[in-house]
Amino acid sequence: MYCIIFLGNGIILHVIRTDPALHQPMYLFLAMLALAEVGVSVSTLPTVAGIFLFGMTEISFEACLLQMFSIHSFSIVESAVLLAMAVDRFVAIYRPLRYTSILTLPRIFGTGAILVLKSIMLMAPLPMLLQRLPFCGHNALSHSYCLHPNLIHLPCGDVSVNNIYGLFIVISTFGMDSLLIVVSYGLILYTVLGIATGEGRKKALSTCGSHICAVLAYYVPMISLSMVHRFGHHVSPLLQTMMANAYLFFPPVVNPIVYSIKTKEIRHSIVRMLSEQRLRV
């Protein structure tokens, strides 16, 4: 799965970087999404590979905090990029003639920098809040990587501040992003219904297909795992572990495949790249 993630997202990044025709807002946001997914995968790699390949079942507290910070930071960026892609699709459909003048390269790269800075600033207090707590007893994690919802069950002190701040992060990032994505698609649907011809509506909606798949691939496993954590007290631990791995593995595996198949420009660039490689050989 890691090979598929790094190869798939690497190909997406390569064709976007090398093909001038793909230096457009939609594909630049896709490149940001691919980078965030690679970041999440690199963050989980040390412990997942250590457990499943070498039987290493221990991690130091400092390394666990670093992994937690890295996974959550990249996940926050990933969610925010999905929102930016929804806004991009709305602008492309609502103001097609002003699309490139509204979403200029400086604005796109500035948006990316703001998203990274925002995730770092939001996540920075969490490791410090965990470090002040006393840990005692059997410190066993239920996943093959360190996540904040899992870590706050281990201390034997008061974790109310951690719970409140963690909830604030979830609501202000994933909750707000998902709400705004729904609003964006509501506006997209309203705009598309105002298009006179059926062919025009179909063409407009077809540009959103890949992004809708990416949103579902990201939020469905996340919501499912969250529901199991909160309400599935009698659910098998094996199912919880499988869902926890699917939550972080499913989007970076599926998204490059979806965009390669459903996005004509990406597909043609990949075919052209492979043809050039074959001619060189």
Side-chain angles (χ1 to χ4, degrees), residues 158-176:
D158 181 19
V159 295
S160 57
V161 175
N162 299 65
N163 274 318
I164 292 169
Y165 189 70
L167 182 62
F168 166 73
I169 290 178
V170 169
I171 293 173
S172 63
T173 55
F174 306 112
M176 189 62 67

Side-chain angles (χ1 to χ4, degrees), residues 105-119:
L105 289 181
R107 285 177 180 169
I108 292 169
F109 291 124
T111 299
I114 290 170
L115 297 183
V116 171
L117 185 61
K118 167 192 158 187
S119 69

Side-chain angles (χ1 to χ4, degrees), residues 187-247:
L187 293 172
I188 287 171
L189 187 60
Y190 177 78
T191 305
V192 167
L193 290 176
I195 298 174
T197 64
E199 186 63 30
R201 294 176 187 174
K202 184 179 178 181
K203 185 178 179 181
L205 286 175
S206 67
T207 65
C208 303
S210 301
H211 181 254
I212 292 172
C213 292
V215 170
L216 293 175
Y218 182 77
Y219 281 104
V220 170
M222 176 193 289
I223 294 170
S224 301
L225 181 63
S226 178
M227 296 293 285
V228 166
H229 269 305
R230 283 163 175 76
F231 306 111
H233 302 296
H234 304 293
V235 173
S236 165
L238 176 61
L239 179 61
Q240 290 192 35
T241 303
M242 290 177 63
M243 290 181 66
N245 285 321
Y247 155 57

Side-chain angles (χ1 to χ4, degrees), residues 254-268:
V254 169
N255 285 342
I257 298 172
V258 169
Y259 275 97
S260 299
I261 294 173
K262 291 186 69 64
T263 307
K264 181 176 66 175
E265 292 79 8
I266 295 285
R267 186 171 65 249
H268 288 174

Side-chain angles (χ1 to χ4, degrees), residues 14-15 17-20 267-281:
H14 178 71
V15 297
R17 184 181 67 86
T18 56
D19 190 343
R267 186 171 65 249
H268 288 174
S269 293
I270 292 173
V271 170
R272 186 164 56 250
M273 179 190 71
L274 294 175
S275 300
E276 290 173 356
Q277 290 292 330
R278 188 167 56 187
L279 289 173
R280 289 173 188 171
V281 173

